[in-house]
Amino acid sequence: MSDVLVTENIQGASMIELMKDLDVEFDAYLWQNVNLLKQKLADAQALIVRNQTKVNQELIDAAPNLKIIARAGAGLDNVDTAYAKEKGIVVSYTPDANSLSVAELTLGLMLALLRKIPDARQDTLTGGWNRVKFTGTELNGKTLGLIGMGRIGTLTATRARAFGMKIIAADPYLAADAPHLKELNGKLVSLDELLAQADVITCHSPLTPDTRGMLTYQHFSKMKPTACFINTSRGEVVDERGLTQALLEHKLAGAALDVREMEPPHQSALNQLENVILTPHIAAFTLEAQERVVDAVCEDVRLVLSGKPAVNVFQS
């Protein structure tokens, strides 16, 4: 049995160095075999995961020697942080390492939707040259509504301002006079106001019991019929049936989803809609972001196993 167990595809120079220096077992698909994973956890002191490994009470109980759970990413909805704390296990994560990459993909999806880039590409590849058919919409002068304005939302808004967009945000934890909102000439509004006013809505909400399924058909029906919705946060915050129904009824003009209610998702009506862009949870997958993430988790594992405090500790 190994001291460090890596249960998903987490690669990089820091991981290679970690494997040279410590007893590391790397199995990118181990998360799929829970029984085998529990067996291998019997002697493990460190567990490194992404978002597929469900580090629940059962898994933690199978690891009596575990000192650290290192999550290569920002969200901790797949880790029972309360139980880990009760067991004296450090939970480390990387909340800021991939923020810029997520913000950039959000802008990319925004441009792809409003300028109809995927459809124009596909039509051209099949011999078309239909310029008028793919007449798009500018970002300049449009209102961006951000559901959640933490670090990723702020980075997205900053870049949207460079395109000449107006900024509004709905966030229960944000003060109306928050400095970063004022710097962007942004305005704090209610969710209903945001849905009614925004031309583009981007979701940057963490997954919590309060946010699970929070965006329903009723919410999407309040959007402008010319508006678009983009989600690069967590798929479970969106009721996909409700979104699909709203799209079919032309309550909104289009949607782009990098995250889904179930990952990988089943085939659904969303796959058949021409005004929907679907990507496989790639927001954090840039070379730069992954290097930062892997560096951070490997460093925290090294620190904890050498008896020192981790840097990126989750504080519940």
Side-chain angles (χ1 to χ4, degrees):
M1 296 292 185
S2 302
D3 292 331
V4 182
L5 199 56
V6 184
T7 64
E8 299 180 48
N9 190 18
I10 304 168
Q11 299 187 47
S14 292
M15 181 61 70
I16 293 171
E17 291 303 311
L18 191 73
M19 295 173 74
K20 289 179 181 177
D21 298 338
L22 299 175
D23 183 8
V24 179
E25 178 168 353
F26 183 105
D27 185 342
Y29 303 100
L30 185 56
W31 64 274
Q32 297 176 338
N33 189 334
V34 176
N35 289 331
L36 181 59
L37 173 54
K38 287 196 295 184
Q39 292 176 27
K40 292 181 177 293
L41 278 170
D43 296 316
Q45 297 184 60
L47 174 64
I48 304 179
V49 304
R50 284 197 189 277
N51 66 317
Q52 297 286 359
T53 310
K54 306 307 178 186
V55 191
N56 51 26
Q57 183 173 338
E58 180 184 3
L59 216 60
I60 292 171
D61 283 339
N65 301 309
L66 201 61
K67 296 179 180 178
I68 178 172
I69 299 164
R71 159 72 163 102
L76 284 168
D77 39 277
N78 62 312
V79 179
D80 190 335
T81 56
Y83 193 64
K85 182 178 180 180
E86 182 182 325
K87 290 292 187 177
I89 301 169
V90 173
V91 176
S92 169
Y93 69 140
T94 56
D96 298 329
N98 56 21
S99 299
L100 180 56
S101 292
V102 178
E104 287 188 356
L105 181 72
T106 304
L107 264 294
L109 292 172
M110 199 182 304
L111 288 165
L113 271 176
L114 272 65
R115 296 304 306 269
K116 305 179 182 180
I117 295 171
D119 289 340
R121 174 187 182 275
Q122 189 59 40
D123 184 79
T124 304
L125 288 176
T126 56
W129 197 255
N130 298 296
R131 299 170 67 192
V132 175
K133 178 180 179 181
F134 299 110
T135 301
T137 304
E138 292 182 349
L139 295 181
N140 182 57
K142 304 301 188 297
T143 297
L144 171 62
L146 301 112
I147 302 175
M149 198 165 175
R151 180 169 174 78
I152 294 173
T154 301
L155 288 169
T156 301
T158 301
R159 282 146 183 79
R161 281 287 293 160
F163 281 93
M165 300 189 79
K166 302 170 186 176
I167 305 299
I168 59 176
D171 189 326
Y173 302 104
L174 185 67
D177 60 350
H180 61 291
L181 185 62
K182 293 177 68 175
E183 288 173 6
L184 294 164
N185 293 319
K187 182 181 178 182
L188 186 65
V189 298
S190 69
L191 180 57
D192 282 347
E193 289 174 314
L194 183 146
L195 293 167
Q197 296 175 21
D199 299 297
V200 180
I201 295 173
T202 60
C203 186
H204 308 283
S205 175
L207 180 62
T208 69
D210 291 333
T211 63
R212 185 179 292 273
M214 72 172 180
L215 296 174
T216 66
Y217 170 78
Q218 286 71 27
H219 292 96
F220 295 116
S221 295
K222 295 176 182 179
M223 291 176 61
K224 295 180 181 181
T226 55
C228 292
F229 172 75
I230 298 168
N231 188 14
T232 54
S233 61
R234 285 293 180 267
E236 295 94 327
V237 305
V238 174
D239 172 9
E240 287 189 5
R241 284 188 179 182
L243 174 60
T244 303
Q245 183 180 349
L247 286 163
L248 289 169
E249 294 176 3
H250 307 290
K251 303 291 186 182
L252 67 161
L257 306 177
D258 184 52
V259 288
R260 305 294 297 277
E261 277 185 307
M262 178 184 294
E263 295 185 4
H266 298 304
Q267 289 289 316
S268 71
L270 281 173
N271 298 70
Q272 310 304 320
L273 298 179
E274 293 185 357
N275 57 345
V276 173
I277 298 173
L278 302 173
T279 52
H281 203 153
I282 59 171
F285 279 76
T286 61
L287 296 174
E288 297 85 354
Q290 289 309 300
E291 182 177 358
R292 291 191 294 266
V293 165
V294 176
D295 286 351
V297 295
C298 289
E299 179 61 18
D300 275 347
V301 166
R302 286 180 182 277
L303 288 169
V304 170
L305 295 193
S306 65
K308 299 174 183 177
V311 175
N312 305 291
V313 179
F314 172 71
Q315 304 289 348
S316 57

